[in-house]
Amino acid sequence: MTAAEKLDATFFALSDATRRDLLARLTRGDATVTELAAPYDMTLAAVSKHLKVLEGAGLVSRGRDAQFRPCRLEAEPLRSVAAWVEGYERFWTRNLDGLASHLETMKRGVPNT
């Protein structure tokens, strides 16, 4: 899978509120599908489908603990998301700095050139 495909898979996985919530819950530690499904009004199969999407993006892994298969957060794919967003942060910072400069010029009454 290329870097672009991995980023696409990560964004797809993050595009759903339930999946984002599952990731947030896993930041507190490993959990079974049953534990993760408890607060939702959906079947275990539906929660498992969400987890499969998260696994496909590399955001979740499943271990083995006796008869349980706890889910674990794998945050590494979020680094590429952060790097992608960072490029836009620089863009907005430049634009906001320019706007601040323009507003300061207006406040001083200096004509804009």
Side-chain angles (χ1 to χ4, degrees):
M1 189 181 290
T2 68
E5 290 169 332
K6 288 178 185 177
L7 187 61
D8 288 347
T10 302
F11 274 117
F12 177 74
L14 295 173
S15 70
D16 182 85
T18 300
R19 291 192 289 267
R20 290 190 306 272
D21 187 57
L22 289 168
L23 288 177
R25 294 180 64 219
L26 288 171
T27 64
R28 296 181 287 232
D30 297 358
T32 64
V33 175
T34 303
E35 292 167 336
L36 290 169
Y40 300 107
D41 186 23
M42 64 176 75
T43 65
L44 285 177
V47 172
S48 288
K49 283 184 180 183
H50 283 295
L51 290 169
K52 284 201 182 297
V53 171
L54 292 168
E55 281 183 275
L59 291 163
V60 168
S61 64
R62 295 196 201 194
R64 281 229 185 265
D65 183 12
Q67 71 269 30
F68 298 105
R69 293 199 55 192
C71 299
R72 170 175 288 125
L73 175 66
E74 301 292 345
E76 185 62 32
L78 296 175
R79 285 185 195 270
S80 58
V81 171
W84 185 84
V85 169
E86 188 177 293
Y88 289 93
E89 181 182 16
R90 286 190 297 269
F91 167 80
W92 281 110
T93 299
R94 279 193 316 269
N95 283 308
L96 290 174
D97 288 347
L99 177 60
S101 175
H102 177 71
L103 292 174
E104 188 60 36
T105 301
M106 288 178 61
K107 194 171 19 170
R108 289 191 310 250
V110 178
N112 191 11
T113 55

